[in-house]
Every structure is written in C-alpha cells, then in structure tokens.
Amino acid sequence: MDITISSLEHLFLWTSSIFIALQAFQLTLLLGLLYVAFLLLAVTGLLKLRPAPTVMVFSTPLALFNAFFYFTILLSKFSQAQSPDVDTSVRPSGSLIGATSATTLPTAGTATVAVSRTATTSFAPMFTVPGAADSGATLLPNIDDHNATDVQTTCPGYTGSTVLRTPYGLTAILTLAGPACNVYGTDIEILNLTVEYQSSDRLSVSLVPAYVDASNASQYILSPSLINKPTVDSDSGTISLMNDLGFFWSNEPTFSFSVVRMSTGDVLFSTYGTKIVFEDQFVEFVSPLPENYNLYGLGEVIHGLRLGNNFTRTLYAADAGDPIDYNIYGSHPFYLDTRYYEVNSTTGDLTLVTSGDNEVDPSLEYVSYSHGVYNRNAHGQEILLRPSNVTWRQLGGSIDLYFFSGPTQAEVTSAYLSGAAGLPAMQQYFAFGFHQCRWGYANWSVVQEVVENYANFQIPLENIWTDIDYMHFYRDFENDPVRFNYSEGQQFLSMLHANNQHYIPIVDSAIYAPDPNNASDAYSPFDRGVAAEAFILNPDGSLYIGEVWPGYTVFPDWIGGGAGQWWIDEMTTWHGEISWDGIWIDMSEASSFCIGSCGSNNLSLNPVHPGFALPGDPGSLIFSYPEGFNLTNATEAASASAAAASQSSANAASAGPPPATTPAVSYLRSTPTPGIRNVEYPPYVINNVQGELAVHAIAPNATHHDGTQEYDVHNLFGHQILNATYSALMNVFPTKRPFIIGRSTFPGSGMFAGHWGGDNFSLWAYMFFSIPQALSFSLFGIPMFGVDTCGFQQNTDEELCNRWMQLSAFFPFYRNHNDLNSIPQEAYVWASVATATKTAMAIRFQLLPYMYTLFYQAHTTGSTVMRAMAWEFPNDPNLANADRQFFLGPAILVTPVLEQGASSVSGIFPGTGKGTIYWDWYTQTQVAVDIGENVTIPAPLGHIPVYVRGGYVLPMQQPAMTTTDARTTPWSVLVALSAEGTASGSLYLDDGESLVPNATLYVELAATASNQLWASGRGLFVDMNPLANVTVLGTAAPGNVTLNGAPVGKSNVSYNATSRVLVVGGLQSITAQGAWAQDWVLGW
C-alpha cells in the first residue's frame, strides 16, 4: 500500500486485525478464514480499497474498514451484556431472575441468571455474565454495627456439673445457666466438656453439644478424617506429668476455665469473668491478654508480623487480590503468644514487660515465655484483638482448643506441627531452583524463547511455568490444540528435561460444564466426573454450577463424593499427554464469579465471559507503576498518568452520569429461627472481604454428597484439593516427592504442598509484606513459601525488580510471575536486574545444601526455615516487632533494602554485646557494632546485605545453571567462628527426589576452640564430590595445617591477619572419594 501509515495507525492495524480475526474464528472457522484472506489481499495490494476522501484520524482504507468492524463488535458485546432477555434487577431476596419464561431449578445460592432464546441460531457472540451476578446483599459486619447485641450481657452462660476424672484429665457436663438468649442462632442447652493432658507440652480443651441427633444434625463437628484431631500420645501416661500447663475451672458466677503455666503462675488463657456462648451458628469465648501483648499468626493476612492490639482477624477463605488487613486465601486459627519479663539481677524475680513496642534498656536481662493456641474449627471465624483481651467468634462447630506450652517459639511450633497440624512435606531438590512464570505466554514458542533467553543471559533457570494461557478455553486437563498442542509440547519438554529443567502448569479448581445441546462443546473430564459423582450439588440434588474462567463450571466434592479417584485419574491421563513435573493449584478458596448456581439453566450459553474486564481489555489497560516511579522515570510516568486519566474519563463516560441523589443505605439483617440455620445470611455477620459469604465463592448452602453444607467446610476446599493433588502426583510419580504449590491452605496443608503469597502488587509495600507473610507461614508449617517476585498486579520497574529479585533469592520458593498485559519483568529485561539476580543467585546456590538441610529438619522435627529475629534471640523484647530483616535458618541474616531510592538500609545485629558476632558475607570481615545499635549499612542498587552469624559451619557447593549441575560441584566449608572460637553445623544428603530414599547421609560438623574442625557422618548415601577448600573466619594465625594428621602443603594455605581469615585449599586429591566418604579432622 502506498499511503504512509503513522505509528499510531500501524499499531491500531495490528491490534484491531488480531482482535477481529479472533472474534471471527470464535464465531465460525469459515468467517475467520475469509477475514484472513481479505487481510492478505488488502495488504498485498491485490484488493484495491477506495481511499478516504479526506484524511481523518486514519488515512488508509484498511484502517477505516477495521475501525468500523472493531467498534461494531464492541457495541454488539455491550448490547449483549445489556440484553433485554435478562432482567438484572435485584429483587428483595437478592436473586437475578430471567424476565422470559424459563424453568429455574432450585439453586444453592441467592442468584440465578435464567436466559431463554426465542430462536435457534448456528452461532452467537460469547455471552458476558452481568456483573450483578456476583453482587451480594448489603451487609453490615457486626464489629461495625453499633446496634448489634452484646451476647456477654444478654446470654446466660453455662453451669458445670457431673465432673469426672479420667486417666488423662476430666469430663463434665455444662448446662445453660438461665433462659436461652438465641441472639445469633439457637442456644445449645447441654454441652460436654473434655479436658486432656495429651503429651508433655499439649493440653486439649473441648466443648461439643451433648446430643447430636436428627433434630440437630446440622450442628457440624469437624471430622478427624478431614483434619487431624490430636489425641492422647501413646506415652502420655508417663510424660503428661511433665506438662507445665494446668487446667482450672469455676462456676462463679458462671462456668469458666483457665489455663496456667505452672512454673511461673502466669495465666495463659482464661474465660473467667466472661460467658461462654454456644449457639448453632455462633460461638463466643473471651480471654484477657496482658498490656501491649505480642501475638503472631492467625493467617492468612497481608499485615505486619506482630498483629497488634486493635485488629480484627477474619478467617474465611476468599479469592481477593491481597488487600491489606482483610481475609484472603487461607485460614489458620493458630496464634503464638510471647511474653517478655525483666529479670531482677539480685532476686531473680520476673516483671512483665508492658511498654509499647517493647522498647527496653538492652543492657538489662530479660527472658521470654511463649505458648501457642490452636482452635480446630473450619467455620468462618473472627478473632477480635483488643487492648485487654482476645474475643474468639465462630459461625458454628465446636470449641476444640489445643494449648502448647513452649516455652520457646521453636518448641511451640514443633509441638503444633508434630502433634496437631502435621509436619511439612520434604521437597525435591529441584524445587529450590529459580521458577519463571507469567500470565500471557501465548504459545510453546514464547515459552521456549523465555527459557532460551535465560540461558543466553547466563541466568540460572530451573523451572518454567504456564498460567491459564495453555488451556483449551481455560479448561483443566486439556491443552489448546493450536498454541500448546501436545506434540510440540512434548518436543519442548524433552529438550527441557535434557537440560535438567522442569515444567509446572497451573490447574484451576473448577471444572467446565459443557453445553449439553452442542456436541462440539463436549468435555470428557466433566462427563467422567458426573459418572463418578465427583461434583458438589444443589440442595435438590442437581449439580451446583457456578462460574470461573472457562464459563459455567462445577466443583469437585472432596468431602462426600467420588472426586478423589476421579482427580487422580484425570491428572494421570493428562500427564500421559504432556509430561509436567509438578502442579500449581489456583482458585481453591474455592472461587466462583457469580452468586449461587448461576449456570443451572444457562449451560446453553457456555462458554461465557466473566462479568468483569480482564487486564488489557478495553478500559482495563494497565498504567500503574511502583511508588517513586515518577522520580526515576519522569517522562514515562507522565505519559502513563495521562493515559490512565484518559482511560478513567472514557470509562466514566461509558458508565453514564452518576445518580442525582445517593440512595440511603439499607442493610440486610437476619434473625435466627429456632432450630433452623440460615447459612446464606447468618445472623452474625463476619467482616468478610467480599461481604456476603456467597460472593465470589461457592454458596454456603451448596451441598456435598454426604449431606454436609458448604457453610461448614468452606475453609477446607483448598486443603482438600492439595491432598487430592498429592495423591494424584503419587500415582503419576510413585517414588517421588510431589511438588505442589497451592493458594488456599488450612492447618496441615504443608504436609502436601507449598504456598505462594497470591496476587500481590508491584509495589514496595508488598515487597516488605512478603517478609511477615513468609514468617507467618513458618509458624503455620508451610515453609515452602514465596511470593510473586517483582509483583503480580500492575507494572513493576527496574529498581523494584532489582531489589525484589535479590530479596526473594533467600525465600525457599523463588518465582517471578506477573499479570496479563503488565510489562515483561523476566530477570533479563533490565541489565541491572540481570546482574543483581546473578549476584543473589550465586549466594543462593552456595547455600542450597544448607537450605535443603533446613527443610529436612523442618520435615522431621517441625523446625522453621525462615525465622524472625525474635525467634533466634527470644530474650530481647526489642525484637518483638522486627519484621524488616530475617534469618534463613539460624546462620544467615538478611537485611534487604525495602524503600524506593535508598542506597543504604538500617539494620540491627541481635545479640551483639552479649556474645554474638556477625561476619559480612562478601568481605568476610567481622561486623563492628555496639549493643542494640541500629546500623546504617551501605546498600547500592544491586547489593543485598547478607551476614553469617558467628558459631555456625556451612557446607556449600558452587553455582551452576541448574540444581542438578550444582550438585556435581566440589564442596567447600565456611566456618564462622563465635566469640569463643567455636562453631557447628550439619548437612543432610539424599538423592534429592525419592519419597523414601534408599540411602541418606547426615554429617555433623564442629569447630573447637583448639583449632580443629571435625566432620562426622552417618548413613549410606554416597556423594562423590571432593572437598575443595575450607574457610575459617575469625581465627588466629595457623600453625601446621593437617587433614586427618596428614600435612597440607603451605602453598594451599593462606591467612589474612587483618581480617583473621584462613583459607585451606588443595583438598580435592585428599578427598577424591568424596568430601564425606569418611570422617575427618582439619587442624590448624
């Protein structure tokens, strides 16, 4: 074509042509081919189009032609969304009912969209579900309702009687102490109390309805088959006498109980002075807390590590993109309570520290005591943290409390995981390599290009992931036959696996329900699931049909249906087509984009588009950047701001004028009906981020095959799908440890999977929040944690990504992932980010044996991997709120830059002045710092301060492009001596993948003050890599250097008298059979 095309017009031609072609192919293949043929003829000049008589916005005929069709299609979509065949008026019940006649099945939610077609057509534009389909009733959370009834003043409480001793505790009967109040449900008249000293460090207190029969069978008691219920340990008869916890009860003025630490007399938990309220839809109990208390846990939430004393934690699994302080994906009803005491140097008496932020004189002596509290309940919950107490409220179930005596965080966590929640899964070695993903990799060629780019830039890449782009119309277990076909995929994966790299695809939690009247829409996994009774139902027994990415969908029933074996079979069949290496589970709260069974009468519309715009859709282009972007990229920031303002104006114009007057807000309130639960609108309204419980979730009255309602087990869906996926991967890889990353979790999920932090933002604030989020999941027993590095939502920038790629290198799960239509953020996009990434990755690779050993210890003992400073130094009250630095295990202190534009960072070095010393990782010099000093540390862009704590020995290997290659490199040992001249460490080795390894090796290393390093191993695993060198930090000038008595040549020994660093090299020939093939002693 001979007419000059402006850059803007050129861009429009490309984008509009692709858009129109996709729409045409979506309608019919023939139409798509005709349009492509038209384009080819027009571009080559074989088809002459009449030029525009006057130059307007676009000058070429093809551009004008495309513009006409582009806006026609958009208008048709808008018209379809506003179709008069669908009445979107909200009725008093909150439902959406079709205006034309259609048979509407009874549904499990409060909304349906019924659409009847008056004419049969061969094709139709994709239907967009109205946004109102996911809009719930206006509710006022009780914590914000000044007119809400206070049950503490209204309800009678209980009276205890018939107390009987048992071998491990006591039982009693509690009876209502007065007339039932029935404020938020029906009061349970009689309760059974069971108290058990289950182990040396665990006490159980349980309250359940005394009678559960047909008349009140809806009173749900969480089954041990779903979530482990701790019982009396086999040796409890002897060791329970060692338990430091005491249980006391009283009937004055009503029944109450207290849990006391017997060694100190400290009351850890007490309902004295308050009433226990126990109704079928509401349970409340209250306990006092000391002034300025220190509580941690109660996840999942984007918040600082220390929860504070004016905060309400809602536990209700929600598909919400990481809003600060609200409930999000997981539910963990467990908290750690740490109390600090000043020790009188003369008498030894303890005085509780109650100062704000625990700021105290660091020169004095302190001691801490920690305990844990776990409420084993799967209902929606609220925990109200207030200045003087904690109030626990739940929407049903039982009171099933477990107290862990500690008295250290490490002991609490170990007891909680080994005795209640379950120990975390051991990971395959490859899982600790770097992972790359994004929503928007269009086909196998693009994925392969990303892998090749990492290799070209010499940045290690272990695992490549794909988001929902690979799916055939966003359906689980089916690849797109064109863009991600199986034959091309297997070729790509053969190359990937030959390079010791791995592939992880996403799997969503909902299953597409095809149009039964359209043979071309058939979907075999759905048909097999129906035959297996694998899906959740409506109360009337029909399929519960919600809506997720592929359109109208069903949901696996993990509680009472046949979903388990069906899921195993589908995973196994799909792996036969494409040989993935692990699975990423998403949308598992479970998420649904409409209220109730909105697809029950609408499958003829499938597939449908969700009722919201996707990133990159018209009106949803992404122009947001991190804080401070305008300071470093002023021109680009100004352009983005102008474009965002223009888009906002256009969206406002298309939305029409706002209402002339703002209608008065009317809140829906429900009142209890005796003996009947209102699961859709519980009388007590929790502060759910989505409002109504059914919004963006499976409706509460959806029903499982065993009769259980979703209301009672909503928080378990994510946990159960991880359990099922673990079983599926065991079927695919019978001898290997399954690698799974999941979104929604519950106590015990760490036994099956790791977790990522969800849909975070490309903001400096979220880089900071990643640290307390990771530390919280250490408490929850899910150490395999990481976040979407550089941020998922919005655009990142070079500076943020530079800092974040270095920070995440010290998280166990290390992945870069971002949103559809955000700018690319792979590590090679910016030169400075590539350099910074390689610097941090080099440290990570050297520390992989250390990290792997930490995971083995976590898997076997319940220890933590990432650690808060307060956990490593439990007797320093100044660390109670410290969450901007962290330890990786006990030996590595990481002090990241978390602020835009900073070239330095403030950090503290715990324990200095009291015997602890630190060594700079890079310079291998001792850090000079006074006791309690907050040090300004130089940290130019591309540098993350890392320190080795004195007293630790680190076995290390060398960096490589993959973990497989790194495991074949020679060993080195770093000895960071303590002030006393000693150090210790350990190393765990196996084949890196077997669920039950044929052989293992555990090596213990110890440096003594007499200038010797001992290495002693046990186990039969053979590692042939030799020992290359040993570096000792903080030692005096050496004498004769020997290994097992044999002299090491002086040419292989170097010593820096200024830094006091000894390096002994040339050890390969002496250890040619392997560094750990025999025990050895290095002397100097």
Side-chain angles (χ1 to χ4, degrees):
M1 302 173 69
D2 55 2
I3 299 176
T4 302
I5 302 176
S6 67
S7 58
L8 177 63
E9 187 171 1
H10 202 167
L11 177 63
F12 174 77
L13 276 173
W14 274 104
T15 57
S16 62
S17 296
I18 294 172
F19 175 78
I20 295 170
L22 289 174
Q23 296 298 314
F25 276 113
Q26 199 172 66
L27 295 177
T28 64
L29 177 64
L30 178 60
L31 191 60
L33 293 174
L34 287 173
Y35 179 71
V36 171
F38 163 77
L39 283 179
L40 292 174
L41 292 173
V43 170
T44 57
L46 296 177
L47 176 64
K48 300 294 184 180
L49 298 176
R50 179 175 297 179
T54 59
V55 176
M56 296 181 291
V57 178
F58 299 134
S59 59
T60 64
L62 183 57
L64 292 173
F65 181 86
N66 269 14
F68 172 77
F69 274 95
Y70 178 76
F71 288 108
T72 298
I73 292 171
L74 288 183
L75 285 173
S76 71
K77 283 179 168 288
F78 178 77
S79 174
Q80 181 68 28
Q82 304 297 321
S83 170
D85 286 342
V86 182
D87 176 13
T88 60
S89 60
V90 179
R91 303 195 175 212
S93 65
S95 61
L96 299 173
I97 306 298
T100 56
S101 60
T103 301
T104 304
L105 294 176
T107 62
T110 58
T112 62
V113 179
V115 177
S116 63
R117 293 178 176 175
T118 56
T120 301
T121 57
S122 58
F123 64 88
M126 178 178 285
F127 174 73
T128 297
V129 177
D134 200 27
S135 180
T138 304
L139 304 177
L140 180 62
N142 272 64
I143 60 170
D144 297 327
D145 188 352
H146 301 300
N147 296 318
T149 301
D150 179 8
V151 295
Q152 289 298 319
T153 60
T154 306
C155 296
Y158 288 83
T159 299
S161 63
T162 318
V163 179
L164 299 175
R165 291 179 180 176
T166 69
Y168 304 106
L170 61 86
T171 63
I173 294 175
L174 305 187
T175 307
L176 276 178
C181 59
N182 297 331
V183 175
Y184 299 116
T186 302
D187 281 27
I188 307 299
E189 183 177 356
I190 303 175
L191 304 175
N192 283 340
L193 167 69
T194 303
V195 178
E196 290 182 331
Y197 291 87
Q198 296 184 335
S199 71
S200 63
D201 54 10
R202 185 175 72 250
L203 172 67
S204 166
V205 178
S206 172
L207 281 168
V208 300
Y211 308 106
V212 177
D213 54 24
S215 66
N216 65 347
S218 63
Q219 186 65 39
Y220 182 78
I221 307 300
L222 183 57
S223 170
S225 66
L226 298 178
I227 297 297
N228 177 56
K229 181 174 175 60
T231 56
V232 174
D233 288 359
S234 59
D235 57 354
S236 183
T238 55
I239 65 172
S240 65
L241 297 177
M242 302 163 54
N243 198 312
D244 195 25
L245 301 178
F247 177 87
F248 302 90
W249 68 277
S250 170
N251 269 336
E252 298 296 332
T254 61
F255 175 83
S256 64
F257 71 89
S258 299
V259 176
V260 178
R261 186 183 299 279
M262 301 302 292
S263 61
T264 64
D266 190 16
V267 178
L268 306 185
F269 197 94
S270 177
T271 65
Y272 180 78
T274 64
K275 298 169 184 174
I276 294 174
V277 181
F278 203 120
E279 300 175 340
D280 61 353
Q281 286 197 265
F282 180 78
V283 177
E284 177 175 293
F285 49 97
V286 184
S287 175
L289 287 171
E291 183 180 357
N292 291 312
Y293 52 83
N294 307 294
L295 255 60
Y296 311 90
L298 297 178
E300 181 177 8
V301 63
I302 305 299
H303 189 80
L305 179 63
R306 182 170 174 245
L307 295 173
N309 62 6
N310 187 23
F311 187 35
T312 298
R313 278 296 300 116
T314 302
L315 304 187
Y316 195 77
D319 174 10
D322 284 15
I324 295 171
D325 288 351
Y326 280 93
N327 57 302
I328 49 176
Y329 318 104
S331 297
H332 291 271
F334 167 86
Y335 70 71
L336 173 76
D337 182 341
T338 298
R339 303 180 185 185
Y340 295 93
Y341 299 85
E342 182 182 328
V343 182
N344 186 299
S345 59
T346 303
T347 65
D349 291 342
L350 304 181
T351 303
L352 182 69
V353 175
T354 59
S355 58
D357 292 328
N358 295 290
E359 294 179 359
V360 297
D361 184 348
S363 65
L364 298 179
E365 182 182 356
Y366 301 92
V367 66
S368 74
Y369 289 87
S370 293
H371 67 273
V373 179
Y374 169 41
N375 183 26
R376 182 181 166 275
N377 184 289
H379 286 83
Q381 299 176 45
E382 277 186 344
I383 301 93
L384 283 65
L385 303 177
R386 298 298 183 261
S388 62
N389 59 43
V390 55
T391 299
W392 213 302
R393 295 170 177 169
Q394 55 198 46
L395 297 184
S398 64
I399 298 176
D400 196 6
L401 292 169
Y402 298 86
F403 299 90
F404 305 89
S405 62
T408 66
Q409 169 276 324
E411 290 169 304
V412 170
T413 303
S414 178
Y416 170 58
L417 299 182
S418 60
L423 294 165
M426 186 63 183
Q427 298 292 329
Q428 292 193 54
Y429 210 92
F430 82 76
F432 300 106
F434 176 64
H435 304 251
Q436 177 61 53
C437 182
R438 83 159 295 171
W439 183 10
Y441 290 151
N443 51 49
W444 286 125
S445 297
V446 172
V447 176
Q448 182 169 343
E449 182 181 4
V450 172
V451 175
E452 291 171 350
N453 282 340
Y454 271 96
N456 293 337
F457 283 91
Q458 287 294 293
I459 302 173
L461 175 67
E462 186 87 15
N463 306 287
I464 188 71
W465 297 45
T466 51
D467 209 311
I468 58 176
D469 314 274
Y470 79 86
M471 296 178 178
H472 184 214
F473 294 123
Y474 302 137
R475 303 174 188 182
D476 281 352
F477 312 127
E478 284 191 355
N479 278 37
D480 186 283
V482 176
R483 298 178 298 105
F484 284 92
N485 64 77
Y486 293 132
S487 59
E488 186 180 350
Q490 290 291 24
Q491 292 177 10
F492 166 69
L493 294 186
S494 295
M495 175 205 71
L496 196 74
H497 292 151
N499 291 334
N500 298 314
Q501 295 169 298
H502 305 84
Y503 168 59
I504 318 293
I506 194 172
V507 173
D508 280 336
S509 301
I511 301 298
Y512 180 70
D515 177 358
N517 301 317
N518 183 354
S520 65
D521 199 37
Y523 179 47
S524 298
F526 170 82
D527 296 335
R528 291 189 289 265
V530 171
E533 297 186 342
F535 304 129
I536 295 175
L537 306 172
N538 284 309
D540 68 350
S542 62
L543 287 177
Y544 177 94
I545 305 175
E547 180 217 343
V548 194
W549 298 118
Y552 293 123
T553 55
V554 292
F555 300 85
D557 179 2
W558 311 115
I559 306 300
Q565 187 59 50
W566 166 80
W567 189 257
I568 291 172
D569 294 341
E570 295 302 329
M571 282 278 190
T572 304
T573 299
W574 182 42
H575 185 266
E577 300 284 3
I578 195 75
S579 52
W580 37 261
D581 302 287
I583 289 295
W584 169 24
I585 296 295
D586 198 13
M587 312 298 286
S588 53
E589 293 71 34
S591 176
S592 179
F593 299 162
C594 65
I595 293 177
S597 190
C598 59
S600 287
N601 294 315
N602 298 313
L603 291 184
S604 60
L605 297 173
N606 246 351
V608 299
H609 188 283
F612 53 86
L614 301 180
D617 280 357
S620 295
L621 300 178
I622 298 172
F623 299 112
S624 300
Y625 286 86
E627 311 95 316
F629 182 72
N630 59 311
L631 303 177
T632 56
N633 299 268
T635 301
E636 188 174 351
S639 298
S641 179
S646 176
Q647 177 172 264
S648 179
S649 297
N651 290 343
S654 64
T661 59
T662 302
V665 177
S666 177
Y667 296 108
L668 172 65
R669 288 181 170 90
S670 67
T671 56
T673 301
I676 300 176
R677 298 195 307 173
N678 185 343
V679 297
E680 295 177 80
Y681 299 105
Y684 183 86
V685 180
I686 61 173
N687 190 31
N688 180 25
V689 65
Q690 302 287 9
E692 183 182 331
L693 298 183
V695 171
H696 223 66
I698 301 173
N701 68 340
T703 306
H704 297 263
H705 281 78
D706 66 352
T708 302
Q709 291 184 299
E710 180 69 8
Y711 177 88
D712 297 308
V713 293
H714 168 81
N715 284 337
L716 298 183
F717 189 100
H719 177 79
Q720 293 303 118
I721 194 174
L722 294 177
N723 188 346
T725 304
Y726 188 91
S727 298
L729 266 64
M730 284 301 303
N731 194 61
V732 173
F733 310 107
T735 63
K736 293 184 179 181
R737 307 163 200 159
F739 175 65
I740 307 165
I741 295 295
R743 193 165 79 173
S744 183
T745 57
F746 195 79
S749 294
M751 295 188 295
F752 312 121
H755 173 61
W756 94 104
D759 295 347
N760 63 357
F761 289 81
S762 294
L763 295 170
W764 290 85
Y766 279 84
M767 182 169 65
F768 154 69
F769 280 125
S770 70
I771 298 174
Q773 195 178 11
L775 295 174
S776 295
F777 273 89
S778 293
L779 295 178
F780 303 149
I782 307 181
M784 193 62 180
F785 178 89
V787 298
D788 283 347
T789 303
C790 302
F792 175 74
Q793 300 186 68
Q794 303 179 358
N795 296 312
T796 191
D797 67 3
E798 181 178 2
E799 183 184 4
L800 176 62
C801 204
N802 186 306
R803 295 294 194 189
W804 210 335
M805 284 295 294
Q806 291 205 313
L807 169 60
S808 286
F810 298 91
F811 282 47
F813 177 49
Y814 185 18
R815 183 180 76 164
N816 181 313
H817 176 227
N818 67 322
D819 203 352
L820 184 70
N821 201 246
S822 297
I823 64 172
Q825 63 182 40
E826 289 80 7
Y828 51 74
V829 170
W830 296 277
S832 77
V833 176
T835 301
T837 299
K838 287 190 278 189
T839 298
M841 280 189 179
I843 303 174
R844 180 184 179 90
F845 267 90
Q846 289 175 275
L847 292 175
L848 281 181
Y850 171 68
M851 187 180 291
Y852 192 69
T853 301
L854 289 173
F855 260 80
Y856 170 74
Q857 293 166 346
H859 171 63
T860 54
T861 70
S863 61
T864 53
V865 177
M866 286 181 68
R867 303 179 182 180
M869 293 193 293
W871 305 343
E872 284 299 302
F873 293 86
N875 297 328
D876 185 351
N878 287 314
L879 300 177
N881 200 28
D883 55 8
R884 300 176 71 88
Q885 299 170 261
F886 62 92
F887 280 95
L888 182 62
I892 299 297
L893 174 62
V894 182
T895 306
V897 174
L898 301 172
E899 297 177 1
Q900 189 276 325
S903 58
S904 64
V905 59
S906 295
I908 55 178
F909 293 86
T912 53
K914 295 189 176 182
T916 302
I917 59 177
Y918 294 86
W919 303 90
D920 187 295
W921 174 274
Y922 304 95
T923 66
Q924 297 187 336
T925 57
Q926 184 177 339
V927 177
V929 58
D930 293 330
I931 181 172
E933 182 181 2
N934 201 332
V935 182
T936 299
I937 305 166
L941 192 65
H943 176 74
I944 181 169
V946 179
Y947 301 91
V948 184
R949 181 177 167 188
Y952 289 91
V953 180
L954 298 173
M956 304 186 299
Q957 287 184 285
Q958 300 308 302
M961 292 299 288
T962 66
T963 60
T964 300
D965 295 336
R967 294 195 75 186
T968 64
T969 63
W971 289 94
S972 61
V973 176
L974 178 64
V975 182
L977 292 176
S978 68
E980 294 78 21
T982 61
S984 63
S986 58
L987 172 67
Y988 172 77
L989 292 172
D990 60 17
D991 62 12
E993 64 177 26
S994 294
L995 189 68
V996 182
N998 291 326
T1000 64
L1001 178 65
Y1002 196 83
V1003 181
E1004 293 178 295
L1005 300 105
T1008 68
S1010 57
N1011 295 342
Q1012 289 182 319
L1013 175 64
W1014 294 71
S1016 176
R1018 57 183 184 271
L1020 300 177
F1021 181 77
V1022 177
D1023 180 282
M1024 297 293 293
N1025 301 306
L1027 177 64
N1029 57 72
V1030 175
T1031 301
V1032 184
L1033 308 181
T1035 187
N1040 294 325
V1041 179
T1042 61
L1043 183 66
N1044 280 350
V1048 176
K1050 292 186 177 181
S1051 61
N1052 292 320
V1053 179
S1054 65
Y1055 179 73
N1056 186 318
T1058 302
S1059 61
R1060 297 184 298 133
V1061 175
L1062 168 67
V1063 178
V1064 180
L1067 303 177
Q1068 290 96 325
S1069 59
I1070 308 176
T1071 59
Q1073 298 303 310
W1076 323 112
Q1078 61 178 341
D1079 296 349
W1080 50 259
V1081 181
L1082 179 73
W1084 64 91

